[in-house]
């Protein structure tokens, strides 16, 4: 469990828990997806977000991927019958969006939603892929979010961390790197396929006042293997602090 502690978080969202699924590449490894389903069934969370790369390849058929996503989303919604929020990754096609939304996962394409609890609100924004397609627009996604509001940005790649912090986001949740996927002993990645400080390549990190988290993902791409880099699904618990902002 990753804890995100913030003075900006309204009291109504203290201990709000977010399940993050990333880099599923569902049609690459059915066994890994069954593991995801088995794990999700036993979790408690208040919101599920998916941070891109649903398809195995960066091109080709979308039907096998969508069939797998239907199973994953149905499983999540059996636990929590709420809308999921997601973004597209560099392996995904805009043609997937209508089906994903019919399944119950709203895709945030440079836009945001507001979640309310009693009189409190937090904002969840999402940008389109910033790694390969370069169709991200953080300013548009953030437009209308009040300056003092608690806001989370979903981005497939964390490479836009500077722009996200500049736009005033409190949290950035991303994936893309796979933590290297094939690593040297000790989890040292050979490549992260990203223009990113190494410390931001996996897990929790911090940039100025923004808490970041890079999921190493639940699936794999190119080859269906991971060395010294186990897959993950991630729970983030938001905690309200009266004093300082930190993550850990
Ligand atoms: Fe990926």
């Amino acid at each position: 469990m990753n804890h995100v502690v913030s003075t900006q978080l309204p009291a109504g969202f203290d201990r709000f828990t977010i399940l993050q699924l990333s880099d599923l590449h569902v049609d690459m490894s059915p066994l890994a997806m069954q593991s995801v389903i088995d794990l999700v069934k036993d979790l408690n969370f208040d919101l599920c977000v998916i941070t891109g790369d649903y398809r195995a390849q960066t091109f080709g058929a979308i039907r096998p991927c969508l069939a797998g996503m239907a199973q994953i989303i149905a499983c999540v919604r059996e636990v929590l019958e709420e809308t999921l929020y997601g973004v597209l990754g560099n392996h995904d096609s805009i043609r997937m969006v209508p089906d994903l939304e019919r399944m119950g996962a709203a895709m945030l394409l440079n836009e945001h939603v507001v979640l309310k609890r009693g009189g409190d609100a937090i904002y969840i924004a999402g940008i389109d892929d910033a790694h390969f397609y370069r169709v991200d627009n953080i300013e548009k996604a953030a437009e209308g979010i009040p300056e003092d509001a608690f806001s989370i940005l979903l981005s497939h790649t964390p490479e836009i961390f500077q722009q996200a912090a500049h736009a005033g986001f409190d949290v950035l949740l991303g994936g893309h790197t796979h933590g290297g996927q094939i690593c040297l002993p000790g989890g040292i990645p050979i490549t992260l396929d990203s223009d990113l400080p190494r410390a931001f390549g996996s897990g929790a990190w911090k940039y100025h006042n923004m808490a970041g988290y890079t999921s190493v993902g639940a699936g794999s791409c190119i080859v269906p293997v991971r060395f010294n880099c186990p897959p993950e699904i991630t729970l983030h618990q938001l905690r309200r602090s009266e004093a300082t902002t930190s993550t850990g």
Side-chain angles (χ1 to χ4, degrees):
M1 171 97 69
N2 176 48
H3 290 108
V4 178
V5 184
S6 172
T7 53
Q8 295 296 106
L9 187 70
F13 284 86
D14 190 30
R15 298 180 188 268
F16 189 83
T17 302
I18 300 172
L19 170 66
Q20 181 189 5
L21 306 178
S22 198
D23 296 87
L24 293 163
H25 298 284
V26 291
D27 42 333
M28 172 66 90
S29 38
L31 280 178
M33 292 310 103
Q34 190 55 50
S35 303
V36 170
I37 287 170
D38 291 343
L39 285 168
V40 166
K41 278 179 191 162
D42 294 326
L43 297 176
N44 288 313
F45 49 90
D46 301 295
L47 174 72
C48 178
V49 299
I50 43 179
T51 44
D53 271 11
Y54 311 116
R55 181 167 58 178
Q57 308 278 1
T58 53
F59 57 90
I62 60 172
R63 286 290 142 204
C65 163
L66 289 170
M69 285 306 294
Q71 292 182 331
I72 301 259
I73 292 170
C75 168
V76 169
R77 298 194 81 205
E78 259 175 48
V79 178
L80 179 73
E81 206 181 330
E82 298 281 341
T83 302
L84 292 75
Y85 292 103
V87 289
L88 297 175
N90 57 301
H91 280 243
D92 302 323
S93 164
I94 194 93
R95 290 180 297 127
M96 297 174 179
V97 171
D99 285 277
L100 290 169
E101 297 206 325
R102 266 194 292 276
M103 293 170 200
M107 291 292 120
L108 298 175
L109 303 171
N110 302 322
E111 57 197 323
H112 69 259
V113 291
V114 56
L115 303 182
K116 291 190 173 161
R117 276 193 158 187
D120 289 330
I122 64 172
Y123 292 75
I124 311 286
I127 52 169
D128 209 344
D129 176 53
H131 176 74
F132 181 75
Y133 292 106
R134 305 275 176 99
V135 279
D136 54 304
N137 188 334
I138 289 180
E139 288 71 26
K140 184 163 175 277
E143 201 176 282
I145 299 179
E147 201 177 321
D148 58 349
F150 183 86
S151 56
I152 298 173
L153 179 65
L154 310 179
S155 168
H156 176 60
T157 177
E159 289 164 297
I160 47 69
F161 64 95
Q162 287 162 311
Q163 297 96 307
H166 182 69
F169 284 99
D170 298 286
V171 181
L172 170 60
L173 301 181
H176 177 66
T177 66
H178 294 201
Q181 185 172 316
I182 292 171
C183 291
L184 301 171
I188 300 164
I190 296 165
T191 173
L192 292 171
D193 185 30
S194 307
D195 182 9
L196 198 65
R198 285 222 145 204
F200 294 5
S202 63
W205 45 268
K206 198 155 171 45
Y207 180 73
H208 296 321
N209 285 328
M210 186 178 74
Y213 192 94
T214 306
S215 167
V216 303
S220 51
C221 69
I222 317 253
V223 286
V225 293
R226 303 181 73 116
F227 289 124
N228 299 312
C229 182
E232 72 171 59
I233 62 174
T234 320
L235 288 172
H236 305 280
Q237 191 177 65
L238 309 182
R239 302 287 289 269
R240 178 174 161 84
S241 162
E242 301 297 335
T244 54
T245 305
S246 66
T247 184

